[in-house]
Amino acid sequence: MTGQLTRVDVAVLPAGWRTKGSYPSEVAGSWSPALSPDGRHAAYVSDRSGSPKVWVQPVSSELTFLVDTGEEPVVSVHWSSGGGWLACVIAPGGAPRTEVWLVRPDGSALHQVAGFGSDSAENVRWLPGRPLLAVTENLSTTLLIDASDGTRSVVATGELISLFEVSADGKRALLRRGSRGGRYVVLRDLTSGSEEYVTSGEQACFAPDGTIWARSDAGEFPVVMTASSKVEGPGEAESFALSADGTKLAVLWNVDGGRSRLTVHEGDAVTDVELPGWVVSQPVWSADGSTLAFTAEGPGQPHGVWTWDGSLHPVSVEEVAGDAVHPTLRRFASHDGLEISGWLFEPATPGPHPTVLWLHGGPEAQERPGHGPLFQSLVDRGIAVFAANVRGSSGFGRTFVNADNGALRYAAIGDVAACVGHLVATGVADPARIGCMGRSYGGYLTLAALTTYPELFAVGIDVCGMSNFATFYEHTEPWIAAAAVSKYGDPVRDADLLRDLSPITRIDRLRAPLMVVHGENDSNVPVIEAEQVVAALAERGVEHRYLLFPGEGHELLHRSNRAEYLRETVGWLTRHLASGDVLLR
């Protein structure tokens, strides 16, 4: 691959939302903001060219420049504090395995520094004031890479380990250890190798004076804290960004069932940043602390990059769809009394409606009121969408996120039926025209619900979901399998439980027409999970459709493929729900 810088006039790039009544088009988005040291330029990832690439743009200008990093899709970009390098995380074949490449902001000197061969590199962070890049490979080897000469120095090794930062004097490191649901921060003495527990959590950094800042989830709700202080705020602390000089702290809060708040703390002064969208992510400071960048989205509003320096400035944003439906938050008791919730997108006409229940991935993710062209298009066709947050979702406290671990997963499957009961009882859903769909873990939960409660659903869509825990553990990436044990169970010790929880075990109960969607290169949830479901349905003569995407992994990263997915998904659901072609009971 060779670096190349190409000037593009943003104003002539295709944008926008298709007119109502037509299939949705995949609108370009921008994310992963990274600022030059003085905050005057922004680098970010955008798929405006068809697949995710790196772009550089003056903050005050609409002219943007494409940095050529090759044909493979880019996951994220990070600007060094000295300004001389962009670190680009690239996903070959769209798969979960990632590489790290360095390139100059002018597009020159492109070269790979991590993720060679079959290794996967992640958790990339430039150390403040130094040309050193912190990288973790395979959740087992933590590295510092010197951008000036390419030297790779091993900081620490071990199973399920990741590097946050190394202190300015090079004597201490902040590491993350542990599996999903049990990750914690440790302080490692790089001379003696001894380690000291800091807190439970997944984010930490050093302040210039050596103070450790961390997002701690040791209590019921995550907080941002040091050893001697805690930042109070309006909700659950989601992430934070500390300026390089340690004087400014930006804290992102998760409030009201999934909306965002962003506060900036400078001494005793606290500023509530005006947000341009309902959901914000990825806050990052320029090296001089003058400018904060972040990503914002909302209903009918694709991911866009913004900066804040006391005032809000758009960098790379698309026009908001004026006719987008804004969802309402529903909270209700599940089968055992536990409160669960979700975002309801409802047509303007009176119900009950044909309805699709959407289940997010993770399971530790959260359904939030962001950009969703699929939801908007379905509502436009008279189909309501309920985007649920069943137990196991993040954003509702430590107890809730761990409430589906191991054998507790049966209760999460029961939450799906509880969502249907709520939607029918409140007049939202027509009980004869309810569909269920989800991706990744949500795809698993869809299959589990369709085989556990076959009488509830008229149609289903499984997007890259696990169907058999035994084959999932056998074929997924080793570090993904190791991290998953605490969430799902051990493939040997808990084999009987995992067999019973696997939808393939009772696939003969599935009655609803099912679409199965998968990326051919997926090594997170390998394609065998889709193939065995399709084979079982074909053998039994159950109506199904298999949509396989070559050149894609666990995520559909190319806009053309996402557009096809949307077109086929909307068509499948409309045919089986809105047209009256429902499952006969």
Side-chain angles (χ1 to χ4, degrees), residues 216-495:
S216 171
D217 60 13
E220 180 61 24
F221 296 97
V223 297
V224 175
M225 58 178 290
T226 68
S228 60
S229 65
K230 181 173 68 174
V231 179
E232 302 291 343
E236 177 177 301
E238 183 178 347
S239 66
F240 71 92
L242 183 69
S243 63
D245 63 4
T247 63
K248 295 179 182 179
L249 177 74
V251 183
L252 186 59
W253 307 92
N254 188 322
V255 301
D256 301 330
R259 295 186 65 163
S260 294
R261 291 275 297 276
L262 181 61
T263 56
V264 172
H265 305 253
E266 189 172 7
D268 294 330
V270 180
T271 302
D272 205 333
V273 178
E274 176 188 1
L275 299 184
W278 282 17
V279 180
V280 164
S281 59
Q282 303 170 321
V284 59
W285 288 103
S286 59
D288 67 0
S290 65
T291 307
L292 180 71
F294 55 84
T295 300
E297 61 172 313
Q301 177 186 353
H303 289 91
V305 172
W306 299 75
T307 62
W308 180 86
D309 57 7
S311 299
L312 197 61
H313 307 283
V315 177
S316 178
V317 300
E318 299 289 344
E319 182 180 356
V320 179
D323 56 356
V325 173
H326 288 65
T328 57
L329 181 65
R330 291 286 188 101
R331 304 178 189 267
F332 53 94
S334 189
H335 52 87
D336 57 357
L338 180 68
E339 183 181 86
I340 58 177
S341 64
W343 292 93
L344 177 63
F345 296 77
E346 195 169 11
T349 56
H353 310 282
T355 302
V356 172
L357 180 62
W358 167 266
L359 303 168
H360 65 70
E364 308 95 328
Q366 180 185 13
E367 193 59 49
R368 308 181 69 174
H371 175 56
L374 172 61
F375 300 170
Q376 297 292 335
S377 185
L378 289 172
V379 172
D380 186 40
R381 286 153 181 78
I383 300 173
V385 178
F386 185 68
N389 281 309
V390 301
R391 70 192 68 198
S393 303
S394 61
F396 306 95
R398 185 181 182 91
T399 301
F400 194 86
V401 80
N402 290 324
D404 68 340
N405 290 354
L408 299 176
R409 196 152 315 282
Y410 293 108
I413 299 170
D415 285 345
V416 180
C419 289
V420 173
H422 170 77
L423 295 171
V424 171
T426 56
V428 172
D430 176 351
R433 295 190 291 170
I434 298 176
C436 187
M437 71 174 296
R439 71 167 305 276
S440 194
Y441 173 78
Y444 158 78
L445 202 54
T446 294
L447 293 174
L450 293 175
T451 54
T452 304
Y453 307 104
E455 72 282 358
L456 293 183
F457 301 105
V459 66
I461 300 179
D462 156 35
V463 185
C464 61
M466 302 95 73
S467 61
N468 184 335
F469 279 111
T471 52
F472 164 72
Y473 273 113
E474 180 182 356
H475 295 283
T476 190
E477 301 284 1
W479 57 91
I480 294 176
V485 168
S486 60
K487 196 66 184 173
Y488 300 128
D490 186 276
V492 176
R493 184 180 64 248
D494 302 312

Side-chain angles (χ1 to χ4, degrees), residues 102-121:
L102 297 186
V103 64
R104 297 289 188 185
D106 65 3
S108 63
L110 179 69
H111 62 286
Q112 186 178 2
V113 295
F116 295 96
S118 61
D119 290 337
S120 183

Side-chain angles (χ1 to χ4, degrees), residues 122-124 135-137 139-143 156 158-165 173-178 183-186 202:
E122 63 172 13
N123 198 20
V124 173
V135 177
T136 300
E137 290 184 332
L139 292 182
S140 62
T141 305
T142 63
L143 302 164
E159 186 177 14
L160 301 179
I161 188 174
S162 192
L163 175 64
F164 291 129
E165 193 171 357
L174 287 169
L175 305 171
R176 186 193 75 195
R177 291 189 178 273
R183 288 170 176 160
Y184 56 96
V185 181
V186 298
E202 297 193 42

